[in-house]
Amino acid sequence: TAWVARQKAIEAWIQARPESITARVALARYLMDYAWKARGNGYANTVSDAAERLFEERLRQAAGTLKAAASLKAKCPVYWTTVMKVALGLGVTKEQFAHIFQAAVQAYPDYTPIYRQRAVFLLPRWYGEEGEWVSDLTKSADQLGGTKGDILYAQVAWVMRGYSGRKNIFE
């Protein structure tokens, strides 16, 4: 299948360039996408046991790939958002996710997708309470401060509008 061919191509890339963080992140992202393909997009109660097992197995492979990539000399901000997405799928605790988020922000404080992924984690459909992502984002924007903080807030809020049933994101 195309999925298997893609995985083999990425693995060949890793063999050819073993110190490439980009190749490892690409493999982890591929495995994450492949996990979601197995699971499907339905609510948890509609996912078969076999699909759930395959989902978790592939996410664990992605997590292992990312763990191996952490020791590489080269660094990449997409590494962190991928770690965060895999952690979301694996159902880590809020405390575990907060540690990942803090490490990501420490490494790349201006990388907006880190804050967006944190907001997704804090949605009520995942692991947050109603309004939690908004208050968390406000805190992050205030810590960044000034125009940078305002821009961060606006960019994340704009992306998060797709998760709201409201037509007006400012309501």
Side-chain angles (χ1 to χ4, degrees):
T1 70
W3 283 96
V4 173
R6 175 66 55 152
Q7 184 171 352
K8 287 182 180 184
I10 298 170
E11 288 169 347
W13 179 13
I14 292 170
Q15 288 295 319
R17 304 218 183 237
E19 294 302 313
S20 171
I21 184 94
T22 306
R24 308 271 176 152
V25 170
L27 179 59
R29 291 180 73 84
Y30 158 83
L31 289 165
M32 180 181 61
D33 290 345
Y34 200 27
W36 280 101
K37 180 182 181 342
R39 185 196 179 282
N41 294 323
Y43 290 106
N45 65 352
T46 67
V47 178
S48 72
D49 289 343
E52 182 64 32
R53 280 192 302 275
L54 198 50
F55 175 69
E56 187 172 330
E57 177 186 315
R58 290 174 181 169
L59 285 179
R60 292 208 180 281
Q61 288 174 336
T65 299
L66 292 164
K67 185 175 182 179
S71 64
L72 295 174
K73 188 187 308 186
K75 302 300 176 196
C76 170
V78 179
Y79 165 86
W80 287 107
T81 54
T82 306
V83 169
M84 294 169 84
K85 287 179 181 182
V86 169
L88 174 78
L90 288 173
V92 301
T93 66
K94 275 187 178 180
E95 183 179 345
Q96 290 168 319
F97 199 89
H99 288 299
I100 295 167
F101 174 72
Q102 289 304 320
V105 167
Q106 184 175 2
Y108 297 97
D110 296 335
Y111 189 60
T112 304
I114 290 169
Y115 300 90
R116 179 192 44 80
Q117 194 57 48
R118 169 85 169 159
V120 169
F121 183 88
L122 293 174
L123 285 168
R125 72 173 69 169
W126 291 104
Y127 303 104
E129 303 297 325
E130 189 66 40
E132 187 174 2
W133 76 264
V134 175
S135 60
D136 186 79
L137 176 60
T138 300
K139 183 174 140 188
S140 292
D142 288 347
Q143 285 176 343
L144 201 53
T147 302
K148 281 186 175 184
D150 293 345
I151 291 170
L152 171 71
Y153 189 93
Q155 288 177 332
V156 174
W158 184 258
V159 171
M160 294 302 290
R161 78 190 184 288
Y163 292 96
S164 172
R166 299 182 178 132
K167 292 184 188 248
N168 181 348
I169 64 168
F170 298 106
E171 289 180 345

